PDB file of all heavy atoms in Angstrom:
ATOM      1  N   TRP A   1      18.632 102.435  21.523  1.00  0.00           N
ATOM      2  CA  TRP A   1      19.651 101.453  21.209  1.00  0.00           C
ATOM      3  C   TRP A   1      21.030 102.014  21.517  1.00  0.00           C
ATOM      4  O   TRP A   1      21.335 103.159  21.207  1.00  0.00           O
ATOM      5  CB  TRP A   1      19.576 101.076  19.729  1.00  0.00           C
ATOM      6  CG  TRP A   1      18.276 100.438  19.368  1.00  0.00           C
ATOM      7  CD1 TRP A   1      17.183 101.051  18.821  1.00  0.00           C
ATOM      8  CD2 TRP A   1      17.912  99.083  19.567  1.00  0.00           C
ATOM      9  NE1 TRP A   1      16.161 100.157  18.658  1.00  0.00           N
ATOM     10  CE2 TRP A   1      16.583  98.926  19.098  1.00  0.00           C
ATOM     11  CE3 TRP A   1      18.563  97.970  20.075  1.00  0.00           C
ATOM     12  CZ2 TRP A   1      15.912  97.720  19.135  1.00  0.00           C
ATOM     13  CZ3 TRP A   1      17.895  96.757  20.106  1.00  0.00           C
ATOM     14  CH2 TRP A   1      16.587  96.646  19.644  1.00  0.00           C
ATOM     15  N   ILE A   2      21.893 101.194  22.097  1.00  0.00           N
ATOM     16  CA  ILE A   2      23.272 101.614  22.360  1.00  0.00           C
ATOM     17  C   ILE A   2      24.094 101.510  21.084  1.00  0.00           C
ATOM     18  O   ILE A   2      24.900 102.367  20.775  1.00  0.00           O
ATOM     19  CB  ILE A   2      23.888 100.766  23.496  1.00  0.00           C
ATOM     20  CG1 ILE A   2      23.151 101.065  24.796  1.00  0.00           C
ATOM     21  CG2 ILE A   2      25.383 101.039  23.635  1.00  0.00           C
ATOM     22  CD1 ILE A   2      23.554 100.190  25.958  1.00  0.00           C
ATOM     23  N   PHE A   3      23.886 100.440  20.341  1.00  0.00           N
ATOM     24  CA  PHE A   3      24.565 100.248  19.064  1.00  0.00           C
ATOM     25  C   PHE A   3      23.507 100.329  17.978  1.00  0.00           C
ATOM     26  O   PHE A   3      22.508  99.619  18.031  1.00  0.00           O
ATOM     27  CB  PHE A   3      25.283  98.896  19.024  1.00  0.00           C
ATOM     28  CG  PHE A   3      26.287  98.744  20.128  1.00  0.00           C
ATOM     29  CD1 PHE A   3      26.010  97.959  21.233  1.00  0.00           C
ATOM     30  CD2 PHE A   3      27.506  99.393  20.060  1.00  0.00           C
ATOM     31  CE1 PHE A   3      26.930  97.822  22.253  1.00  0.00           C
ATOM     32  CE2 PHE A   3      28.441  99.266  21.074  1.00  0.00           C
ATOM     33  CZ  PHE A   3      28.149  98.477  22.183  1.00  0.00           C
ATOM     34  N   THR A   4      23.723 101.203  17.013  1.00  0.00           N
ATOM     35  CA  THR A   4      22.711 101.412  15.981  1.00  0.00           C
ATOM     36  C   THR A   4      23.286 101.173  14.588  1.00  0.00           C
ATOM     37  O   THR A   4      24.504 101.259  14.369  1.00  0.00           O
ATOM     38  CB  THR A   4      22.165 102.852  16.039  1.00  0.00           C
ATOM     39  OG1 THR A   4      23.253 103.758  15.853  1.00  0.00           O
ATOM     40  CG2 THR A   4      21.478 103.131  17.360  1.00  0.00           C
ATOM     41  N   ALA A   5      22.389 100.908  13.678  1.00  0.00           N
ATOM     42  CA  ALA A   5      22.750 100.787  12.269  1.00  0.00           C
ATOM     43  C   ALA A   5      23.085 102.178  11.733  1.00  0.00           C
ATOM     44  O   ALA A   5      22.656 103.182  12.306  1.00  0.00           O
ATOM     45  CB  ALA A   5      21.584 100.174  11.507  1.00  0.00           C
ATOM     46  N   PRO A   6      23.824 102.276  10.638  1.00  0.00           N
ATOM     47  CA  PRO A   6      24.171 103.601  10.087  1.00  0.00           C
ATOM     48  C   PRO A   6      22.955 104.473   9.808  1.00  0.00           C
ATOM     49  O   PRO A   6      23.009 105.688  10.000  1.00  0.00           O
ATOM     50  CB  PRO A   6      24.908 103.257   8.781  1.00  0.00           C
ATOM     51  CG  PRO A   6      25.446 101.890   8.997  1.00  0.00           C
ATOM     52  CD  PRO A   6      24.448 101.189   9.882  1.00  0.00           C
ATOM     53  N   GLN A   7      21.839 103.874   9.432  1.00  0.00           N
ATOM     54  CA  GLN A   7      20.628 104.640   9.150  1.00  0.00           C
ATOM     55  C   GLN A   7      19.762 104.817  10.397  1.00  0.00           C
ATOM     56  O   GLN A   7      18.674 105.375  10.315  1.00  0.00           O
ATOM     57  CB  GLN A   7      19.827 103.988   8.007  1.00  0.00           C
ATOM     58  CG  GLN A   7      19.218 102.648   8.334  1.00  0.00           C
ATOM     59  CD  GLN A   7      20.191 101.464   8.247  1.00  0.00           C
ATOM     60  OE1 GLN A   7      21.407 101.624   8.131  1.00  0.00           O
ATOM     61  NE2 GLN A   7      19.662 100.266   8.334  1.00  0.00           N
ATOM     62  N   GLY A   8      20.254 104.357  11.551  1.00  0.00           N
ATOM     63  CA  GLY A   8      19.495 104.444  12.797  1.00  0.00           C
ATOM     64  C   GLY A   8      18.774 103.141  13.082  1.00  0.00           C
ATOM     65  O   GLY A   8      18.703 102.250  12.244  1.00  0.00           O
ATOM     66  N   GLY A   9      18.270 103.022  14.284  1.00  0.00           N
ATOM     67  CA  GLY A   9      17.576 101.795  14.675  1.00  0.00           C
ATOM     68  C   GLY A   9      18.542 100.677  15.006  1.00  0.00           C
ATOM     69  O   GLY A   9      19.759 100.862  14.999  1.00  0.00           O
ATOM     70  N   PRO A  10      18.009  99.503  15.306  1.00  0.00           N
ATOM     71  CA  PRO A  10      18.865  98.391  15.725  1.00  0.00           C
ATOM     72  C   PRO A  10      19.736  97.862  14.581  1.00  0.00           C
ATOM     73  O   PRO A  10      19.420  98.032  13.401  1.00  0.00           O
ATOM     74  CB  PRO A  10      17.863  97.326  16.169  1.00  0.00           C
ATOM     75  CG  PRO A  10      16.613  97.647  15.441  1.00  0.00           C
ATOM     76  CD  PRO A  10      16.601  99.137  15.290  1.00  0.00           C
ATOM     77  N   VAL A  11      20.819  97.264  14.952  1.00  0.00           N
ATOM     78  CA  VAL A  11      21.730  96.644  13.993  1.00  0.00           C
ATOM     79  C   VAL A  11      21.079  95.368  13.478  1.00  0.00           C
ATOM     80  O   VAL A  11      20.623  94.537  14.265  1.00  0.00           O
ATOM     81  CB  VAL A  11      23.093  96.322  14.666  1.00  0.00           C
ATOM     82  CG1 VAL A  11      24.007  95.574  13.723  1.00  0.00           C
ATOM     83  CG2 VAL A  11      23.749  97.603  15.164  1.00  0.00           C
ATOM     84  N   VAL A  12      21.059  95.198  12.168  1.00  0.00           N
ATOM     85  CA  VAL A  12      20.529  93.984  11.561  1.00  0.00           C
ATOM     86  C   VAL A  12      21.669  92.971  11.491  1.00  0.00           C
ATOM     87  O   VAL A  12      22.764  93.283  10.998  1.00  0.00           O
ATOM     88  CB  VAL A  12      19.968  94.271  10.145  1.00  0.00           C
ATOM     89  CG1 VAL A  12      19.503  92.994   9.470  1.00  0.00           C
ATOM     90  CG2 VAL A  12      18.837  95.287  10.238  1.00  0.00           C
ATOM     91  N   TYR A  13      21.413  91.779  12.002  1.00  0.00           N
ATOM     92  CA  TYR A  13      22.453  90.755  12.124  1.00  0.00           C
ATOM     93  C   TYR A  13      23.189  90.507  10.810  1.00  0.00           C
ATOM     94  O   TYR A  13      24.422  90.501  10.782  1.00  0.00           O
ATOM     95  CB  TYR A  13      21.828  89.457  12.647  1.00  0.00           C
ATOM     96  CG  TYR A  13      22.828  88.341  12.866  1.00  0.00           C
ATOM     97  CD1 TYR A  13      23.644  88.335  13.995  1.00  0.00           C
ATOM     98  CD2 TYR A  13      22.965  87.309  11.949  1.00  0.00           C
ATOM     99  CE1 TYR A  13      24.565  87.324  14.207  1.00  0.00           C
ATOM    100  CE2 TYR A  13      23.882  86.302  12.144  1.00  0.00           C
ATOM    101  CZ  TYR A  13      24.684  86.299  13.274  1.00  0.00           C
ATOM    102  OH  TYR A  13      25.600  85.304  13.466  1.00  0.00           O
ATOM    103  N   THR A  14      22.462  90.301   9.724  1.00  0.00           N
ATOM    104  CA  THR A  14      23.130  89.993   8.454  1.00  0.00           C
ATOM    105  C   THR A  14      23.985  91.166   7.975  1.00  0.00           C
ATOM    106  O   THR A  14      25.075  90.952   7.446  1.00  0.00           O
ATOM    107  CB  THR A  14      22.105  89.613   7.359  1.00  0.00           C
ATOM    108  OG1 THR A  14      21.121  90.630   7.280  1.00  0.00           O
ATOM    109  CG2 THR A  14      21.450  88.277   7.662  1.00  0.00           C
ATOM    110  N   HIS A  15      23.515  92.387   8.179  1.00  0.00           N
ATOM    111  CA  HIS A  15      24.317  93.558   7.792  1.00  0.00           C
ATOM    112  C   HIS A  15      25.577  93.643   8.661  1.00  0.00           C
ATOM    113  O   HIS A  15      26.657  93.967   8.169  1.00  0.00           O
ATOM    114  CB  HIS A  15      23.518  94.842   7.919  1.00  0.00           C
ATOM    115  CG  HIS A  15      22.358  94.911   6.974  1.00  0.00           C
ATOM    116  ND1 HIS A  15      21.354  95.829   7.125  1.00  0.00           N
ATOM    117  CD2 HIS A  15      22.020  94.175   5.884  1.00  0.00           C
ATOM    118  CE1 HIS A  15      20.461  95.658   6.164  1.00  0.00           C
ATOM    119  NE2 HIS A  15      20.846  94.645   5.408  1.00  0.00           N
ATOM    120  N   PHE A  16      25.419  93.372   9.932  1.00  0.00           N
ATOM    121  CA  PHE A  16      26.562  93.391  10.853  1.00  0.00           C
ATOM    122  C   PHE A  16      27.589  92.340  10.447  1.00  0.00           C
ATOM    123  O   PHE A  16      28.787  92.615  10.385  1.00  0.00           O
ATOM    124  CB  PHE A  16      26.089  93.157  12.288  1.00  0.00           C
ATOM    125  CG  PHE A  16      27.210  92.848  13.243  1.00  0.00           C
ATOM    126  CD1 PHE A  16      28.083  93.843  13.656  1.00  0.00           C
ATOM    127  CD2 PHE A  16      27.400  91.554  13.714  1.00  0.00           C
ATOM    128  CE1 PHE A  16      29.130  93.560  14.534  1.00  0.00           C
ATOM    129  CE2 PHE A  16      28.434  91.269  14.586  1.00  0.00           C
ATOM    130  CZ  PHE A  16      29.298  92.271  14.994  1.00  0.00           C
ATOM    131  N   MET A  17      27.103  91.138  10.159  1.00  0.00           N
ATOM    132  CA  MET A  17      28.019  90.053   9.804  1.00  0.00           C
ATOM    133  C   MET A  17      28.789  90.381   8.523  1.00  0.00           C
ATOM    134  O   MET A  17      30.009  90.224   8.472  1.00  0.00           O
ATOM    135  CB  MET A  17      27.258  88.739   9.641  1.00  0.00           C
ATOM    136  CG  MET A  17      26.710  88.188  10.944  1.00  0.00           C
ATOM    137  SD  MET A  17      27.982  87.818  12.177  1.00  0.00           S
ATOM    138  CE  MET A  17      28.763  86.399  11.432  1.00  0.00           C
ATOM    139  N   ASP A  18      28.074  90.838   7.502  1.00  0.00           N
ATOM    140  CA  ASP A  18      28.704  91.110   6.211  1.00  0.00           C
ATOM    141  C   ASP A  18      29.540  92.390   6.222  1.00  0.00           C
ATOM    142  O   ASP A  18      30.607  92.439   5.617  1.00  0.00           O
ATOM    143  CB  ASP A  18      27.644  91.215   5.107  1.00  0.00           C
ATOM    144  CG  ASP A  18      26.939  89.891   4.851  1.00  0.00           C
ATOM    145  OD1 ASP A  18      27.498  88.828   5.188  1.00  0.00           O
ATOM    146  OD2 ASP A  18      25.811  89.921   4.324  1.00  0.00           O
ATOM    147  N   GLY A  19      29.058  93.405   6.920  1.00  0.00           N
ATOM    148  CA  GLY A  19      29.717  94.706   6.870  1.00  0.00           C
ATOM    149  C   GLY A  19      30.784  94.935   7.916  1.00  0.00           C
ATOM    150  O   GLY A  19      31.673  95.767   7.728  1.00  0.00           O
ATOM    151  N   SER A  20      30.701  94.204   9.040  1.00  0.00           N
ATOM    152  CA  SER A  20      31.645  94.460  10.137  1.00  0.00           C
ATOM    153  C   SER A  20      32.370  93.212  10.612  1.00  0.00           C
ATOM    154  O   SER A  20      33.601  93.168  10.658  1.00  0.00           O
ATOM    155  CB  SER A  20      30.912  95.098  11.326  1.00  0.00           C
ATOM    156  OG  SER A  20      30.348  96.328  10.965  1.00  0.00           O
ATOM    157  N   TRP A  21      31.615  92.201  11.009  1.00  0.00           N
ATOM    158  CA  TRP A  21      32.218  91.039  11.658  1.00  0.00           C
ATOM    159  C   TRP A  21      33.202  90.308  10.751  1.00  0.00           C
ATOM    160  O   TRP A  21      34.363  90.118  11.118  1.00  0.00           O
ATOM    161  CB  TRP A  21      31.122  90.078  12.149  1.00  0.00           C
ATOM    162  CG  TRP A  21      31.696  88.890  12.837  1.00  0.00           C
ATOM    163  CD1 TRP A  21      31.972  87.672  12.290  1.00  0.00           C
ATOM    164  CD2 TRP A  21      32.113  88.808  14.202  1.00  0.00           C
ATOM    165  NE1 TRP A  21      32.520  86.831  13.216  1.00  0.00           N
ATOM    166  CE2 TRP A  21      32.620  87.506  14.401  1.00  0.00           C
ATOM    167  CE3 TRP A  21      32.108  89.695  15.265  1.00  0.00           C
ATOM    168  CZ2 TRP A  21      33.114  87.083  15.627  1.00  0.00           C
ATOM    169  CZ3 TRP A  21      32.601  89.267  16.495  1.00  0.00           C
ATOM    170  CH2 TRP A  21      33.091  87.974  16.660  1.00  0.00           C
ATOM    171  N   ARG A  22      32.729  89.873   9.589  1.00  0.00           N
ATOM    172  CA  ARG A  22      33.597  89.076   8.706  1.00  0.00           C
ATOM    173  C   ARG A  22      34.823  89.865   8.245  1.00  0.00           C
ATOM    174  O   ARG A  22      35.940  89.326   8.268  1.00  0.00           O
ATOM    175  CB  ARG A  22      32.794  88.521   7.538  1.00  0.00           C
ATOM    176  CG  ARG A  22      31.840  87.429   7.986  1.00  0.00           C
ATOM    177  CD  ARG A  22      31.100  86.770   6.810  1.00  0.00           C
ATOM    178  NE  ARG A  22      30.138  85.815   7.321  1.00  0.00           N
ATOM    179  CZ  ARG A  22      28.818  86.004   7.339  1.00  0.00           C
ATOM    180  NH1 ARG A  22      28.298  87.110   6.826  1.00  0.00           N
ATOM    181  NH2 ARG A  22      28.011  85.106   7.841  1.00  0.00           N
ATOM    182  N   PRO A  23      34.675  91.133   7.849  1.00  0.00           N
ATOM    183  CA  PRO A  23      35.883  91.889   7.486  1.00  0.00           C
ATOM    184  C   PRO A  23      36.863  92.045   8.661  1.00  0.00           C
ATOM    185  O   PRO A  23      38.077  91.950   8.476  1.00  0.00           O
ATOM    186  CB  PRO A  23      35.340  93.258   7.043  1.00  0.00           C
ATOM    187  CG  PRO A  23      33.936  92.986   6.614  1.00  0.00           C
ATOM    188  CD  PRO A  23      33.452  91.881   7.521  1.00  0.00           C
ATOM    189  N   ALA A  24      36.341  92.260   9.869  1.00  0.00           N
ATOM    190  CA  ALA A  24      37.220  92.405  11.037  1.00  0.00           C
ATOM    191  C   ALA A  24      37.936  91.092  11.335  1.00  0.00           C
ATOM    192  O   ALA A  24      39.130  91.088  11.656  1.00  0.00           O
ATOM    193  CB  ALA A  24      36.412  92.864  12.250  1.00  0.00           C
ATOM    194  N   CYS A  25      37.222  89.972  11.227  1.00  0.00           N
ATOM    195  CA  CYS A  25      37.843  88.661  11.453  1.00  0.00           C
ATOM    196  C   CYS A  25      38.934  88.399  10.425  1.00  0.00           C
ATOM    197  O   CYS A  25      40.024  87.917  10.766  1.00  0.00           O
ATOM    198  CB  CYS A  25      36.793  87.546  11.403  1.00  0.00           C
ATOM    199  SG  CYS A  25      35.740  87.485  12.866  1.00  0.00           S
ATOM    200  N   ALA A  26      38.656  88.711   9.158  1.00  0.00           N
ATOM    201  CA  ALA A  26      39.652  88.507   8.104  1.00  0.00           C
ATOM    202  C   ALA A  26      40.899  89.344   8.384  1.00  0.00           C
ATOM    203  O   ALA A  26      42.030  88.850   8.288  1.00  0.00           O
ATOM    204  CB  ALA A  26      39.061  88.863   6.741  1.00  0.00           C
ATOM    205  N   LYS A  27      40.700  90.591   8.775  1.00  0.00           N
ATOM    206  CA  LYS A  27      41.824  91.489   9.068  1.00  0.00           C
ATOM    207  C   LYS A  27      42.643  90.981  10.260  1.00  0.00           C
ATOM    208  O   LYS A  27      43.864  91.114  10.289  1.00  0.00           O
ATOM    209  CB  LYS A  27      41.299  92.897   9.340  1.00  0.00           C
ATOM    210  CG  LYS A  27      42.379  93.937   9.480  1.00  0.00           C
ATOM    211  CD  LYS A  27      41.794  95.329   9.611  1.00  0.00           C
ATOM    212  CE  LYS A  27      42.885  96.360   9.728  1.00  0.00           C
ATOM    213  NZ  LYS A  27      42.318  97.711   9.827  1.00  0.00           N
ATOM    214  N   ALA A  28      41.965  90.394  11.243  1.00  0.00           N
ATOM    215  CA  ALA A  28      42.645  89.911  12.448  1.00  0.00           C
ATOM    216  C   ALA A  28      43.211  88.497  12.283  1.00  0.00           C
ATOM    217  O   ALA A  28      43.855  87.980  13.188  1.00  0.00           O
ATOM    218  CB  ALA A  28      41.672  89.938  13.626  1.00  0.00           C
ATOM    219  N   GLY A  29      42.943  87.864  11.119  1.00  0.00           N
ATOM    220  CA  GLY A  29      43.447  86.513  10.900  1.00  0.00           C
ATOM    221  C   GLY A  29      42.647  85.444  11.624  1.00  0.00           C
ATOM    222  O   GLY A  29      43.139  84.340  11.855  1.00  0.00           O
ATOM    223  N   ILE A  30      41.426  85.751  12.001  1.00  0.00           N
ATOM    224  CA  ILE A  30      40.552  84.786  12.679  1.00  0.00           C
ATOM    225  C   ILE A  30      39.959  83.874  11.610  1.00  0.00           C
ATOM    226  O   ILE A  30      39.537  84.351  10.552  1.00  0.00           O
ATOM    227  CB  ILE A  30      39.452  85.523  13.474  1.00  0.00           C
ATOM    228  CG1 ILE A  30      40.110  86.333  14.595  1.00  0.00           C
ATOM    229  CG2 ILE A  30      38.423  84.549  14.023  1.00  0.00           C
ATOM    230  CD1 ILE A  30      39.163  87.265  15.321  1.00  0.00           C
ATOM    231  N   PRO A  31      39.941  82.575  11.858  1.00  0.00           N
ATOM    232  CA  PRO A  31      39.466  81.631  10.836  1.00  0.00           C
ATOM    233  C   PRO A  31      38.075  81.964  10.306  1.00  0.00           C
ATOM    234  O   PRO A  31      37.184  82.349  11.067  1.00  0.00           O
ATOM    235  CB  PRO A  31      39.450  80.284  11.564  1.00  0.00           C
ATOM    236  CG  PRO A  31      40.400  80.445  12.695  1.00  0.00           C
ATOM    237  CD  PRO A  31      40.340  81.891  13.083  1.00  0.00           C
ATOM    238  N   LYS A  32      37.933  81.805   8.995  1.00  0.00           N
ATOM    239  CA  LYS A  32      36.644  82.027   8.337  1.00  0.00           C
ATOM    240  C   LYS A  32      35.612  81.099   8.956  1.00  0.00           C
ATOM    241  O   LYS A  32      35.904  79.951   9.272  1.00  0.00           O
ATOM    242  CB  LYS A  32      36.782  81.740   6.835  1.00  0.00           C
ATOM    243  CG  LYS A  32      35.613  82.174   6.023  1.00  0.00           C
ATOM    244  CD  LYS A  32      35.890  82.004   4.535  1.00  0.00           C
ATOM    245  CE  LYS A  32      34.726  82.559   3.752  1.00  0.00           C
ATOM    246  NZ  LYS A  32      35.007  82.561   2.327  1.00  0.00           N
ATOM    247  N   GLY A  33      34.404  81.600   9.153  1.00  0.00           N
ATOM    248  CA  GLY A  33      33.339  80.803   9.751  1.00  0.00           C
ATOM    249  C   GLY A  33      33.203  80.996  11.254  1.00  0.00           C
ATOM    250  O   GLY A  33      32.269  80.491  11.859  1.00  0.00           O
ATOM    251  N   THR A  34      34.141  81.737  11.867  1.00  0.00           N
ATOM    252  CA  THR A  34      34.048  82.017  13.296  1.00  0.00           C
ATOM    253  C   THR A  34      32.974  83.090  13.499  1.00  0.00           C
ATOM    254  O   THR A  34      33.052  84.163  12.911  1.00  0.00           O
ATOM    255  CB  THR A  34      35.388  82.523  13.859  1.00  0.00           C
ATOM    256  OG1 THR A  34      36.389  81.540  13.611  1.00  0.00           O
ATOM    257  CG2 THR A  34      35.288  82.802  15.347  1.00  0.00           C
ATOM    258  N   GLY A  35      31.974  82.763  14.310  1.00  0.00           N
ATOM    259  CA  GLY A  35      30.880  83.700  14.523  1.00  0.00           C
ATOM    260  C   GLY A  35      30.957  84.377  15.874  1.00  0.00           C
ATOM    261  O   GLY A  35      31.792  84.033  16.721  1.00  0.00           O
ATOM    262  N   PRO A  36      30.075  85.332  16.125  1.00  0.00           N
ATOM    263  CA  PRO A  36      30.050  86.042  17.406  1.00  0.00           C
ATOM    264  C   PRO A  36      29.825  85.122  18.610  1.00  0.00           C
ATOM    265  O   PRO A  36      30.255  85.438  19.712  1.00  0.00           O
ATOM    266  CB  PRO A  36      28.884  87.030  17.254  1.00  0.00           C
ATOM    267  CG  PRO A  36      28.734  87.219  15.796  1.00  0.00           C
ATOM    268  CD  PRO A  36      29.116  85.904  15.171  1.00  0.00           C
TER     269      PRO A  36
END
């Protein structure tokens, strides 16, 4: 895998959304509900 979860293996979508995507969108001022 090129992008891995912190514990290794593939990134789990729900973990990515909750742990990375939504916080990054909030920080960047991107409207809530905007997905990948």
Side-chain angles (χ1 to χ4, degrees):
W1 298 97
I2 294 174
F3 302 104
T4 59
Q7 68 280 11
V11 175
V12 176
Y13 182 78
T14 53
H15 295 165
F16 167 73
M17 291 299 290
D18 294 338
S20 299
W21 181 265
R22 289 185 184 106
C25 286
K27 187 174 181 179
I30 295 171
K32 191 173 185 173
T34 302

